[in-house]
Amino acid sequence: MTTSKTAESSAAAPLLDLQALMAAVRRRRRLWCALALLGLLAGAAVAVLRPPPPSAVTKVLVVHQEDQPNDTGTLIRTDVELLGTTRIADKALRSLNSRENPEDFMRDYRGTGLTNNLLQIDVTGASETEAVARAKALADAFVADHVKRMREAANAEAKALRGQRDRMRDELAKVNKAIGDRSPESDPEASAGIETLFARRAELTSRITDFDQRAEEARIGTPKLIAGTQIVDAPRAVRHSLPKAAVTDAAIGLLLGLVLGLAVAAVGAVVADRPVLRREIAAHLGASVIAELRRPPRGPARPWQRRRTRAARARLTTTLARTVRGSTEPVSLLELGCARSTSVIALDLARALAAEGPVVVVDGLPGPQLANSRRNTGDPEVVSGEHAEGAAQQARRLGVGSVAPGTAWTDLQYLGGRTVLVVRAGHGSTAWLHTVARQLADQSIPVIGVVLIDPDPRDRTDGTLWDGTHIALRGHSGRPARQNGTGRPRTERLPIRAARVPDSDEEGR
């Protein structure tokens, strides 16, 4: 049913059409709005039902012997990891006289390096008093452990330096003894040896003095580091604001729900492959979109909404009546996903055609939408499918049927030789639209055009199929009609291209 140019354009279509994807996601706004609202409520409920436990915070200034201006934070990160060891936890628990397992206690606190020398300790407890006590015990245990490590390092360094000094002193004693054992001689070689010993003695004396000074510096520098490492912010309880926590958690839940909803909607749109845009529906059905109608608002409609709906239906009826009058064969309206809207459109169209002669509406819908619809006095007669042949001899026949899954395709030709498809955007998948087009072609039922129900409000694509430069196709509108009196096949006139039916006065203007 499509032309060669249409087939070429379909073949050149991108693998993922972002415009179609965005339109499909917008149509599923109920899903992602519902998930966003659910995330909002869940976040607020978590803040109310599961408030944070009582907690306390303290800050410790940690001075390192290896501090450098260009330090990247390695030393404070080491302190954070040392804080999370069982040794610190066990010392804190001992000072609290608690029998709690250190491994369990380590899960109740954490350390954070604020700067290269500032450590923050956050602790939770059963009450604020317990949390403050735990924070103080942890800070004291960490400071004591840090001071102990610095003293041990300084003592180890001083001991090593003193050991080197003692070895130098022993060697100096040997050199002094060797100098004392030498007697003054006039031999040049003996004089050179004595000078060598004196030079060695001077070197050893200098090195001994250096080691003494370094050992003294190591011992003197430690008290400065110990005095610098201290608690600079006393442990205090952290006050939690329930409204602030609820707002924060609700915002986080809203964001997560929105992201999850958009992702689910996008994935569902790609997997389902249900065309929404006019150009896609027209390309897959092989027929142009001649009109479209917005879905009526859910719930009680306001007066101006009712006026817009009536105006849009009137314009749609005029467009369809103009299209049906140009056909010499009975025309049917076949719905896909919009049986109720198709019933209303069929009755409006039958009333418009009744001014030119009797009209009979043939109900071929699987459901009771048309049979149970409200009809006024003088409205065209509605008959079932089995009475269609008898009614066709007396009046113009307007068939109403369905091309939804489960349709009896061979019965569609009794509803009309030509058809107008009434399709709800985003209802049928691409595979099913191809099936509809193929089955109608097999039944030799040309598609005059497509009426799109509930289109995307932001759809600006063209739903017209073009063959050549100036001719707009309406499905198989070039199908030869019955022969006239000259015996030559006559091709029916193409219906005039109808513009998009607006659903508001502003769009109409």
Side-chain angles (χ1 to χ4, degrees):
M1 297 180 68
T2 59
T3 63
S4 60
K5 293 185 178 181
T6 304
E8 293 176 1
S9 62
S10 299
L15 181 61
L16 181 61
D17 191 347
L18 293 181
Q19 185 180 7
L21 179 61
M22 291 299 296
V25 171
R26 282 197 303 268
R27 293 185 68 84
R28 298 192 173 192
R29 56 184 175 272
R30 283 190 170 185
L31 172 63
W32 48 266
C33 285
L35 288 179
L37 180 60
L38 182 61
L40 176 70
L41 298 177
V46 168
V48 174
L49 299 179
R50 299 190 62 182
S55 59
V57 63
T58 184
K59 295 178 182 178
V60 179
L61 179 63
V62 186
V63 182
H64 308 93
Q65 188 174 3
E66 301 85 1
D67 275 337
Q68 297 294 332
N70 58 351
D71 182 35
T72 59
T74 305
L75 297 176
I76 197 66
R77 286 197 296 269
T78 303
D79 294 331
V80 170
E81 296 300 325
L82 287 174
L83 179 66
T85 58
T86 55
R87 182 173 67 177
I88 303 295
D90 184 63
K91 290 181 179 179
L93 290 175
R94 287 181 181 178
S95 63
L96 294 172
N97 297 324
S98 175
R99 297 182 179 179
E100 185 178 359
N101 193 352
E103 288 78 4
D104 297 335
F105 180 50
M106 288 191 319
R107 289 194 288 265
D108 295 337
Y109 70 88
R110 61 183 176 86
T112 306
L114 302 180
T115 64
N116 291 345
N117 298 98
L118 192 60
L119 176 64
Q120 176 176 303
I121 303 175
D122 298 281
V123 191
T124 60
S127 63
E128 292 184 355
T129 304
E130 181 181 355
V132 171
R134 284 184 165 193
K136 186 177 185 309
L138 274 172
D140 292 339
F142 176 80
V143 170
D145 182 79
H146 186 74
V147 169
K148 179 182 178 182
R149 284 187 286 107
M150 284 191 297
R151 282 177 176 171
E152 290 176 351
N155 292 333
E157 183 180 0
K159 182 179 180 181
L161 292 173
R162 286 194 297 270
Q164 290 286 351
R165 182 202 61 186
D166 294 341
R167 284 193 294 271
M168 295 297 174
R169 283 180 176 177
D170 294 340
E171 186 176 353
L172 179 62
K174 293 179 182 178
V175 171
N176 289 331
K177 183 180 179 184
I179 293 174
D181 293 341
R182 294 290 183 97
S183 61
E185 298 178 357
S186 60
D187 188 1
E189 293 182 358
S191 299
I194 292 175
E195 291 179 359
T196 302
L197 290 175
F198 275 108
R200 179 61 178 166
R201 184 175 66 178
E203 179 186 0
L204 290 174
T205 302
S206 175
R207 295 183 64 179
I208 290 172
T209 303
D210 180 61
F211 281 122
D212 279 334
Q213 183 178 0
R214 290 171 59 184
E216 190 66 19
E217 288 178 354
R219 295 171 59 187
I220 294 175
T222 303
K224 296 181 180 180
L225 299 178
I226 293 175
T229 302
Q230 57 184 323
I231 301 175
V232 294
D233 191 2
R236 69 181 188 279
V238 178
R239 305 297 178 184
H240 296 284
S241 175
L242 182 59
K244 182 179 178 180
V247 171
T248 303
D249 293 351
I252 295 175
L254 174 65
L255 181 60
L256 294 178
L258 181 60
V259 172
L260 178 62
L262 291 175
V264 171
V267 173
V270 173
V271 173
D273 192 15
R274 300 178 182 272
V276 176
L277 302 180
R278 286 192 296 270
R279 69 182 179 194
E280 293 183 336
I281 295 176
H284 294 312
L285 289 175
S288 299
V289 177
I290 59 175
E292 59 183 23
L293 183 65
R294 298 281 181 88
R295 176 185 291 181
R298 295 179 175 86
R302 297 175 176 85
W304 60 87
Q305 291 178 336
R306 288 195 292 267
R307 286 195 299 269
R308 285 192 305 180
T309 302
R310 286 194 298 266
R313 285 174 52 184
R315 286 189 290 267
L316 175 61
T317 301
T318 302
T319 301
L320 292 180
R322 185 188 309 120
T323 303
V324 172
R325 290 190 189 100
S327 176
T328 58
E329 298 182 54
V331 177
S332 63
L333 299 178
L334 301 180
E335 64 85 22
L336 180 59
C338 50
R340 186 177 300 277
S341 298
T342 305
S343 302
V344 176
I345 293 172
L347 291 177
D348 292 342
L349 178 58
R351 296 187 187 102
L353 296 176
E356 304 173 3
V359 178
V360 175
V361 180
V362 181
D363 183 9
L365 293 173
Q369 288 84 358
L370 185 57
N372 296 341
S373 60
R374 293 184 299 178
R375 292 191 295 275
N376 302 325
T377 305
D379 282 350
E381 181 183 2
V382 178
V383 298
S384 57
E386 56 269 15
H387 301 96
E389 293 297 331
Q393 299 176 0
Q394 302 174 1
R396 182 192 292 268
R397 185 175 62 183
L398 179 63
V400 182
S402 175
V403 288
T407 298
W409 301 105
T410 55
D411 294 341
L412 297 181
Q413 58 185 340
Y414 299 107
L415 297 177
R418 291 173 176 253
T419 186
V420 174
L421 292 177
V422 184
V423 181
R424 182 162 66 91
H427 178 77
S429 63
T430 298
W432 186 250
L433 294 182
H434 290 176
T435 300
V436 171
R438 184 179 67 252
Q439 292 291 344
L440 292 178
D442 293 342
Q443 297 297 323
S444 299
I445 302 176
V447 180
I448 300 175
V450 178
V451 176
L452 196 59
I453 303 297
D454 191 21
D456 183 50
R458 300 183 183 180
D459 185 8
R460 298 296 182 265
T461 60
D462 187 9
T464 302
L465 300 182
W466 298 92
D467 184 15
T469 307
H470 305 292
I471 304 175
L473 287 184
R474 293 291 183 263
H476 293 282
S477 56
R479 170 192 173 193
R482 299 190 185 97
Q483 294 183 356
N484 52 17
T486 61
R488 299 173 60 185
R490 175 176 59 83
T491 302
E492 292 184 352
R493 175 178 58 87
L494 289 172
I496 301 175
R497 180 185 176 194
R500 173 174 175 264
V501 178
D503 66 338
S504 66
D505 297 338
E506 182 179 355
E507 292 184 5
R509 287 192 297 270

